[in-house]
Each structure stands twice: as C-alpha cells, then as structure tokens.
Amino acid sequence: MSYAERALRTLSAGNRTLLRAQDEATLLQEMCRVIVDLGGYRMAWVGFAEHDEALTIRPMAHKGFEEGFFEIAHFTWAEGDSEDSRGPTSQAIRSGKPAVVQDTTKLSSSQLPIPLAETLRRGYASIAAFPLIIEGETIGNLTIFAAEPDAFDDCETGLLAEMADDLAFGIATLRMRERHRQSEETIRHMAFFDALTDLPNRSSVSEALTVEITQAQLENQSMAVLLVKIGRFQEISDTLGYQEGDHLIVEMGTRLRQIAGPNKSVARVGEDEFAIIMPRSSAEAAMRVAHHAMREVCDPVIFAGMAMDPHAHIGISLFPGHGNTPEALLRRAKIAAVQARRTACKYTLYKGTEDRESTRRLELMSELRSAIDQNELLLYCQPKVSIGSGEICGAEALVRWQHPQHGMIATGEFIALAEHAGLIMPLTRWVLEAAFRQSYAWYERGIRRPLSVNLSAQDLRDPRLIDRISGLFATWALPPELVQFELTESALMEDPAGALETLDRLKELGVELFIDDFGIGYSSLSYLQKLPVDSLKIDHSFVTSMLTNEGSAVIVHSTVELGHNLGLGVVAEGVESEALWDRLQALGCDTAQGHFVGRPFPTAQFDEWEAQSPWSHRPLSGATAH
Ligand code: C2E
Ligand code: MG
Ligand code: MG
C-alpha cells in the first residue's frame, strides 16, 4: 500500500467517523484510532491549545504505541527556546500550517519535544503535525508519528491536512450543536422556571399537575395542592426595597422546598405565591404539611440587619373533590388561601361556595361598568338630625344599584367591587353629578339642605377630582356649604400625606369635610390635628353596641370628647333606637344618623319623608338660586 493510498483510506474512514460522532471526546478518540488502525501509523494524538499563562498544549486523545510518551513530553505553543516550544506540534499551532519532520534521527534533541533517545526508542521515525483551525483560530493539533522516515510526502501530507481540516470542522459542528442545545436548554429553563428562586413556575406547575392528575386517575388516588400566600411581601418591598422583597421570596422558596422533601414539588406560581403539589395525598396529610409549613415560614427572616416575622396563609384543594384540571385546583387552593386569612391557624381546606361567589363577582364587575355608563344607579339619601335641636340638618348621599336580575345589590359589596375593578372614579363622577343636580333642585326651591358625598381612597388619588368638583360648583352656582364630603379614616390612612394635600385643596373650595367610620382606622392624634376637617362620624359598629358593650361605650364617649377638644363636630352613625339617641344626647354628641332618625330613601322622596317625620324642619332660609 502506498503512503498516499493509506492516507486516502484513512481520510474516508475519518469522514465516516465525523458523520457518526455525537460528542467531542469520542470524535477525537475515533479519529486517532482510524489513523493508527487503518492508516498504519505508529501513533496519533490530538491536543488543544490552551490560553493559560504557559500556553499549554493539552493532549486530549491518542492512539497507538505511546508508552509513557505523554508523561515525559510537555507541550507549549509559546514562542521560545525551551524544549517544550520546539518540535512540529508547537510550530503547527503557532504558524497555522502543517509541520513535518521527515527523519527524526537527523535531528538533535533540542529540536524535539522529548529526548531523541526516547523518540527513537518508541520508533517515531517521522512526524507530521497539523493545526486544527476553527473560524481562523488554531484550537489545537493533530500529530501523527510514522515508523518509517520520509513517510509524509507532499501528497500524503496534503491528504492528512485535509483530514485535520475535516476534524476541525467536526469539532466546530459538535460545539455549535452543543451551544444550540445549551441555549435551547436555557430558553426552556426560562420558560418553565422562575429566575429568582429557580423553582418551577406557573407554566410548569400546570404541566406537572396535568401529569399528576392523569396518574392519580389511573391509580384511583387523591392528591392535594397547597397554595402558600406569603404576607407582607408588598409591605417589605415598599418600605425596604425590592431587593429585600426578593430576599423574602428566595428565603420562603428555600424553606418550602425543604419542607416538601423529595416526593412533593414546590413551584412559584405568583409574585408572593408558592404551590406545593402532593401526589397520593389525603386532606389530612395536606393539613399536616400546611401546619408544618406555617411554622417554618413564620420563623423570623433577617432584613437589613433586623429580624422580621413573615406571615403566610395556606389554602388546600384536593383532586378529585375540588376539581380535575390544574386551573381548577390552583384557583380553588387560592380561594382557600384567602379564606384562611380569616382563620386562627391560617390554613384551611377549600370550602365550596366562594368560587361561585367569585364568578358572580366577575359578572357583576362588568355589569357595574355598564350600569354606570347607562345610568342605572340610583341616588338615595339618609337624613341627619341635630341632637340638640331635633332639626334636620342635612343628608348623606348613598348610591344604590338596582340590578335587573339580582335586585338591590348591597352597597358595601359593589363599592368594594368598584374599588377592586378600578371603577370608583366613574362611580364617584356619577354620584357627584347626581348629588349636585339634587342639591340644586333643593336650593332652587329655597331649601338649604347640605348633602354629603362619600369619597373613596382612590378618589383622593385622582388628580382631576378637585377640578371636577369646582367645575360642578361653577356649573350649578351652588354655595359651597351645600355639598359636603365624607372620607373614611382608613382611606385617609392609606396615604396620609397625599390625603392631607387633597383635603387642603378641597377645603380651599369652602366645603365641609367629615371623617367617616371614625374609630376603626387607627389615625394618630397628631395627624388628626393637621387635617382640615369639620366633624368626626363615629363608626356605627361602636354606636349600635354602646349600650351593651363597655369598650364601645368608652370609644364613643372619648370620641365625642376628643372631637370637641379639637374643635370638631361629632356625628353618630347607626343610631337605631331612642335609647341610643338619649345616651348620645347625654354625652353631648352633636348629630345623629341612623334608622331611628330615618332609613335611606331615594333623594326625590325627601319632601314626603320630611312631611311625616317627627323632626322639626329647618326654618327656610331666604336664599334661592338665581
Ligand atoms: P357610610 O358612609 O358609613 O354610610 C352609612 C351606612 O350605614 C349606609 O350603608 C347606611 O345605609 C348604613 N346605616 C344607616 N343607618 C344605619 C343604622 O341605624 N344601623 C346600621 N347598622 N347601619 C345604618 P350603605 O348605604 O350600605 O353604604 C355602605 C357604605 O358604602 C357607606 O358607609 C359608604 O362608605 C359607602 N358608600 C355609599 N355610597 C357611596 C358613594 O356614593 N360613594 C362611595 N365612595 N362610597 C359610598
Ligand atoms: Mg359616609
Ligand atoms: Mg360610615
């Protein structure tokens, strides 16, 4: 067999190897094997040119007669006179061109990477080294030793160089394949794992649940889903910053993963929500895990040097009882988590009804929007009477919604719904317009009856609120004392500084302001003193119970005193009986509102109500509209 012939054979076998190779190590090894076994060379090796300080050439694979060669030989592709830098392999890497030694016996030791005797002892008579080049950069070498001198003529060298190029191409292809695989892996990971906690995210929990549900169906097993809602996340992010908020989430993720152990999976399914999936589990087992998780989760976490106790509540749903789709199980576990907030132990099993409730709430939200647009709301009012004189001294505007199918919807319910659905501003606009129209109707007839309008926390943040109100005063030419505003103490406390600013601007319009539901919002005395308000309205929960509950009696009593000390008027809401009226009168409370005085009714019926009410009429003031 001629040299060229064996080189050709090697080349074609090498090509087959290239096509088959799945990973780099096997490819290099197989290439060396083909060269030695089929080509009949004495030894072949592949090295990679490292970019370390010594510019080492690291042997990666070899085949053939070697006998400790790599233990004595050290290769570098650095420029220089040292033994390691000489020899064809270094040259090939440095120059990017094949380097051939036709007869090693004619060289001195200093021209070889190992002592001449060692080279000769191994029968390496001639050497050809080829660079492996990928995209213009030499990444390593393919070095072949032949037992005969002058083994590498031009033709053979050319063929082997081609083979080295093919090998480099094969390496490049495998590396590119690996890079693609890694980026696919990263993309897949990102799609299914949460970046912060590295836990599975909502999409993968849905997939995992689908698999578990199918499995549970096959095995006739039940399974549980726990939804852990972490409390105080928003508070911590807002006050200490996002990093601390993230720290809380990461810490909770770690704790939950530990609790869950290997048989249950934990996922992050919302900003501050985790799910634990418990295959083959009963309600009882789920409650035990919830109990355990609650204890662990509520252990203090250190934030910026200080310890804080996290809160959590956990809802549990079960397959098949609470649903047989991932969505239903997660949704119901979440509803249960909300229910759990109101329980002492803060975890609970899903209880059927609220789901239907929330579907109804969703329907109601969209119906409320159109009710506002289509003017289906009604304006009711409830009179206020001055306790000292028994005179009617005003009325509170209360919105009502008469639903075509469900009848009258509880006001508290749809106000909360409007707050939730971002519908407060259009609702307030409707109420304001209705209240101004009604006020004007009274005023035009010479009745000076202040009508008070309730504002929500969101109204206080509406930058157009003040302009809208002053526009209405201008439109109807109403004196400012005829329209008043009530703001709940808790709405003010949501953003005390912002609320103070809005109240100041409202006050500049000359209107009277009331703090509504006073006593349940925890405002501080110093804050209260700054507020430009005229009266406090004691929350009806204290008023209605003041005769039977000592605590309520103390609150009512001290609110009357506090209000008067601050120079404010005091209104009692929820005056349901004469006995309450008498007691409030004895305490010196200024104004009463409640069923004893009069229930809310449509504003248009005020005259009828007044005509048959025992309360004295205000003397008509001479002022009328122009
Ligand atoms: P609020 O401003 O404290 O209104 C007083 C509530 O107490 C009214 O409930 C009234 O019907 C009820 N009430 C009256 N007398 C008695 C009584 O003797 N005993 C008891 N237990 N309750 C009595 P309503 O009309 O259901 O309104 C609930 C809340 O909804 C209001 O509480 C107010 O905060 C809000 N709201 C009502 N209308 C509007 C509105 O137009 N805009 C806004 N933003 N909120 C409104
Ligand atoms: Mg009110
Ligand atoms: Mg109130």
Side-chain angles (χ1 to χ4, degrees), residues 305-522:
M306 62 185 172
M308 221 186 253
D309 297 326
H311 295 178
H313 25 106
I314 303 180
I316 303 166
S317 66
L318 290 150
F319 168 84
H322 298 148
N324 53 10
T325 62
E327 295 72 36
L329 288 171
L330 284 170
R331 193 177 65 240
R332 289 177 175 168
K334 184 164 175 170
I335 292 169
V338 175
Q339 294 167 340
R341 201 193 298 233
R342 295 192 291 266
T343 65
C345 61
K346 305 288 176 213
Y347 57 87
T348 190
L349 282 180
Y350 172 73
K351 288 180 225 50
T353 56
E354 297 220 355
D355 204 18
R356 242 172 287 135
E357 273 295 288
S358 52
T359 323
R360 180 177 121 100
R361 281 168 61 88
L362 268 179
E363 274 170 21
L364 277 180
M365 269 189 204
S366 70
E367 287 168 349
L368 177 59
R369 191 180 290 270
S370 60
I372 297 171
D373 294 344
Q374 287 159 25
N375 210 9
E376 283 170 20
L377 301 179
L378 305 168
L379 193 69
Y380 273 47
C381 68
Q382 185 176 34
K384 299 176 188 172
V385 167
S386 154
I387 298 180
S389 63
E391 273 175 14
I392 298 163
C393 59
E396 174 173 11
L398 294 166
V399 65
R400 293 290 180 264
W401 179 17
Q402 173 81 44
H403 190 280
Q405 283 96 44
H406 307 306
M408 206 63 111
I409 311 280
T411 306
E413 183 186 351
F414 80 83
I415 294 288
L417 202 67
E419 279 171 348
H420 225 80
L423 288 174
I424 275 293
M425 291 174 197
L427 181 102
T428 302
R429 199 178 319 145
W430 186 91
V431 174
L432 280 171
E433 275 163 16
F436 270 85
R437 206 172 304 118
Q438 180 59 63
S439 253
Y440 177 77
W442 287 334
Y443 178 56
E444 201 188 28
R445 290 168 41 218
I447 305 166
R448 312 206 79 185
R449 182 185 294 139
L451 186 59
S452 64
V453 174
N454 290 284
L455 296 177
S456 287
Q458 288 170 28
D459 291 318
L460 296 180
R461 292 193 288 267
D462 180 358
R464 287 158 308 180
L465 178 76
I466 308 288
D467 287 347
R468 181 166 303 129
I469 292 172
S470 57
L472 283 165
F473 273 116
T475 307
W476 298 99
L478 277 177
E481 62 272 19
L482 292 189
V483 180
Q484 310 170 327
F485 294 96
E486 299 191 5
L487 305 109
T488 63
E489 192 189 9
S490 31
L492 297 176
M493 294 318 290
E494 272 189 27
D495 171 19
L500 177 60
E501 201 185 310
T502 312
L503 257 54
D504 278 334
R505 296 187 56 202
L506 268 177
K507 196 65 204 165
E508 280 167 16
L509 301 177
V511 299
E512 258 190 60
L513 302 177
F514 294 76
I515 300 188
D516 206 348
D517 301 351
F518 186 78
I520 55 174
Y522 310 108

Side-chain angles (χ1 to χ4, degrees), residues 241-274:
Y242 288 114
Q243 269 181 351
E244 298 300 325
D246 286 354
H247 170 53
L248 174 72
I249 293 302
V250 170
E251 176 64 28
M252 293 298 117
T254 311
R255 290 186 191 178
L256 290 172
R257 202 172 355 202
Q258 267 164 14
I259 294 160
N263 301 326
K264 312 175 194 76
S265 48
V266 179
R268 183 175 180 207
V269 291
E271 194 172 41
D272 52 2
E273 288 168 1
F274 294 91

Side-chain angles (χ1 to χ4, degrees), residues 53-68:
E53 212 174 314
L55 299 182
T56 313
I57 303 170
R58 185 155 55 97
M60 301 300 297
H62 64 262
K63 178 75 185 172
F65 189 80
E66 176 259 345
E67 248 200 3

Side-chain angles (χ1 to χ4, degrees), residues 466-621:
I466 308 288
D467 287 347
R468 181 166 303 129
I469 292 172
S470 57
L472 283 165
F473 273 116
T475 307
W476 298 99
L478 277 177
E481 62 272 19
L482 292 189
V483 180
Q484 310 170 327
F485 294 96
E486 299 191 5
L487 305 109
T488 63
E489 192 189 9
S490 31
L492 297 176
M493 294 318 290
E494 272 189 27
D495 171 19
L500 177 60
E501 201 185 310
T502 312
L503 257 54
D504 278 334
R505 296 187 56 202
L506 268 177
K507 196 65 204 165
E508 280 167 16
L509 301 177
V511 299
E512 258 190 60
L513 302 177
F514 294 76
I515 300 188
D516 206 348
D517 301 351
F518 186 78
I520 55 174
Y522 310 108
S523 52
S524 72
L525 194 57
S526 65
Y527 178 63
L528 258 187
Q529 278 174 311
K530 277 190 247 162
L531 291 177
V533 294
D534 302 279
S535 302
L536 304 179
K537 288 185 83 174
I538 312 174
D539 190 64
H540 62 75
S541 59
F542 302 116
V543 176
T544 47
S545 61
M546 68 185 283
L547 297 178
T548 49
N549 180 315
E550 193 47 38
S552 300
V554 171
I555 289 173
V556 174
H557 186 160
S558 38
T559 308
V560 172
E561 240 175 34
L562 170 75
H564 287 167
N565 287 343
L566 292 173
L568 305 176
V570 181
V571 184
E573 308 181 317
V575 183
E576 291 180 342
S577 65
E578 191 162 7
L580 283 173
W581 171 283
D582 291 344
R583 183 67 174 274
L584 289 161
Q585 191 168 39
L587 290 175
C589 183
D590 305 293
T591 310
Q593 183 183 344
H595 296 167
F596 176 66
V597 174
R599 286 177 183 265
F601 49 76
T603 41
Q605 293 171 14
F606 208 101
D607 291 347
E608 283 162 51
W609 174 82
E610 195 176 22
Q612 50 77 51
S613 83
W615 313 107
S616 47
H617 307 225
R618 271 213 155 177
L620 275 185
S621 129

